[in-house]
Amino acid sequence: MKQSIPIQRIIIWIFLLGALVFIMAPMIFMISASFMPASDIVKMPYRWIPRGIHSENFVKAVAGNDGTYIFIRNLLNSLIVASVVSFTTVLISSLTGYSLSKFSYRGRDLLFLMIMATMMIPFEAIMIPLYMVVTKLGLQNSYQGLILPFLVNAFGVFMMRQYLITFPDEFIDAARVDGMSEFAIYRSIILPNTGPAIATLAILAFRSQWDNLLWPLLVAQTEQMKTIPLYIVKFTAEMHTDEGAMMAVNLLASIPMFILFFALSKYFVSGAAVYSSRKG
């Protein structure tokens, strides 16, 4: 005799499918519209499946309205800035989180509270002082000026500290008894067992800088030093830019984030197995 599906499960599935459609609709629209001429995009009802590949949109997106192909340089700038910030955020946050979670010293809790307090300060409140410091140091219109203010963030420290609190002290104590240095413990034991947290933090840090518009708008003075968000703003502001090319440039700018996410997605589902050696 077949078992009937509970009505609660049906409702949950309907809700989840509706949420999926709601979330994916803008992305699907961007992908389909990037392959259409502008005349097809503005037609109603909208045709979700393109009649063909309108490659001119991608040529315009990469070449730009002035034909200088500055898109490639701006994309490279964003990759450099986001990658460096992501790497330093993971490295410094994991080291700091390790210290705050596994070492006992005077002022540790106060230091942690002070780090957390910086999360309450909006970036707009410190933007002008940061800009003045960068200007005084002569780092305007440079990679250093784009990167230095974001080498580490309080959220990354908080995230790694909370994750490492649950890590068994027995493993660390056993390594110390065996004569391993603290950096060797960090490299050989802590890092391999914090994959889900590191992957999540790396994606969040990369995305934050990949989407960062305000700070590069202040620091980058030439077209060669601008990042991809600034390119998109300029490209879409041009009067003769069509909708298909707008969608194409946004699709191209989204590809690195998709690649990073799918490259690290396997770590998201491995959290339950991080401490599998503790069983039994």
Side-chain angles (χ1 to χ4, degrees):
M1 184 176 180
K2 293 184 178 179
Q3 293 182 347
S4 60
I5 302 177
I7 186 65
Q8 295 88 346
R9 182 173 297 181
I10 295 176
I11 294 175
I12 291 174
W13 275 105
I14 293 175
F15 174 78
L16 291 177
L17 288 174
L20 177 64
V21 171
F22 181 78
I23 293 172
M24 293 297 296
M27 189 177 303
I28 296 173
F29 171 77
M30 177 183 68
I31 295 173
S32 64
S34 64
F35 294 98
M36 297 180 183
S39 57
D40 287 353
I41 298 175
V42 297
K43 284 183 179 179
M44 292 297 171
Y46 179 72
R47 183 186 181 93
W48 289 92
I49 301 177
R51 290 179 293 183
I53 297 178
H54 194 68
S55 58
E56 289 84 355
N57 291 337
F58 294 93
V59 174
K60 290 181 180 178
V62 176
N65 291 303
D66 51 4
T68 59
Y69 291 88
I70 197 65
F71 170 87
I72 299 174
R73 175 60 188 269
N74 294 159
L75 183 69
L76 178 62
N77 292 340
S78 286
L79 284 173
I80 293 173
V81 173
S83 298
V84 172
V85 169
S86 180
F87 175 78
T88 58
T89 296
V90 168
L91 178 63
I92 299 176
S93 296
S94 58
L95 282 169
T96 308
Y98 177 45
S99 171
L100 293 173
S101 61
K102 297 302 179 183
F103 290 85
S104 296
Y105 48 87
R106 182 178 298 179
R108 183 189 67 174
D109 294 338
L110 177 61
L111 177 62
F112 178 64
L113 289 176
M114 292 176 63
I115 293 174
M116 290 300 96
T118 62
M119 295 177 62
M120 303 297 105
I121 305 175
F123 178 74
E124 290 76 10
I126 62 173
M127 180 177 61
I128 300 303
L130 274 177
Y131 178 73
M132 294 176 65
V133 171
V134 168
T135 303
K136 292 293 184 181
L137 294 176
L139 301 178
Q140 206 172 14
N141 201 46
S142 67
Y143 287 121
Q144 296 92 324
L146 292 169
I147 293 172
L148 284 178
F150 306 99
L151 287 179
V152 67
N153 61 73
F155 174 76
V157 173
F158 170 77
M159 180 178 175
M160 295 304 301
R161 186 252 187 189
Q162 296 304 109
Y163 192 88
L164 288 171
I165 282 178
T166 63
F167 189 85
D169 294 334
E170 293 82 5
F171 293 162
I172 300 175
D173 294 337
R176 288 170 179 164
V177 170
D178 290 340
M180 292 183 67
S181 65
E182 295 300 334
F183 280 103
I185 294 173
Y186 167 78
R187 182 183 65 254
S188 303
I189 298 177
I190 298 300
L191 285 182
N193 288 281
T194 53
I198 287 177
T200 303
L201 182 58
I203 289 177
L204 292 176
F206 189 95
R207 186 205 59 80
S208 177
Q209 290 308 305
W210 190 260
D211 296 341
N212 194 353
L213 172 66
L214 191 56
W215 183 250
L217 186 63
L218 292 176
V219 176
Q221 303 296 314
T222 63
E223 296 297 326
Q224 287 72 24
M225 283 306 303
K226 289 183 178 180
T227 55
I228 203 65
L230 296 179
Y231 177 87
I232 293 175
V233 169
K234 179 185 176 182
F235 186 83
T236 55
E238 299 283 345
M239 295 302 295
H240 54 282
T241 300
D242 60 72
E243 291 82 357
M246 290 181 187
M247 294 297 105
V249 73
N250 282 281
L251 177 61
L252 292 174
S254 302
I255 290 176
M257 278 304 309
F258 283 119
I259 294 175
L260 179 65
F261 174 78
F262 287 114
L264 299 179
S265 60
K266 62 180 180 180
Y267 293 101
F268 297 142
V269 296
S270 62
V274 171
Y275 306 126
S276 59
S277 60
R278 298 172 62 184
K279 294 182 180 180

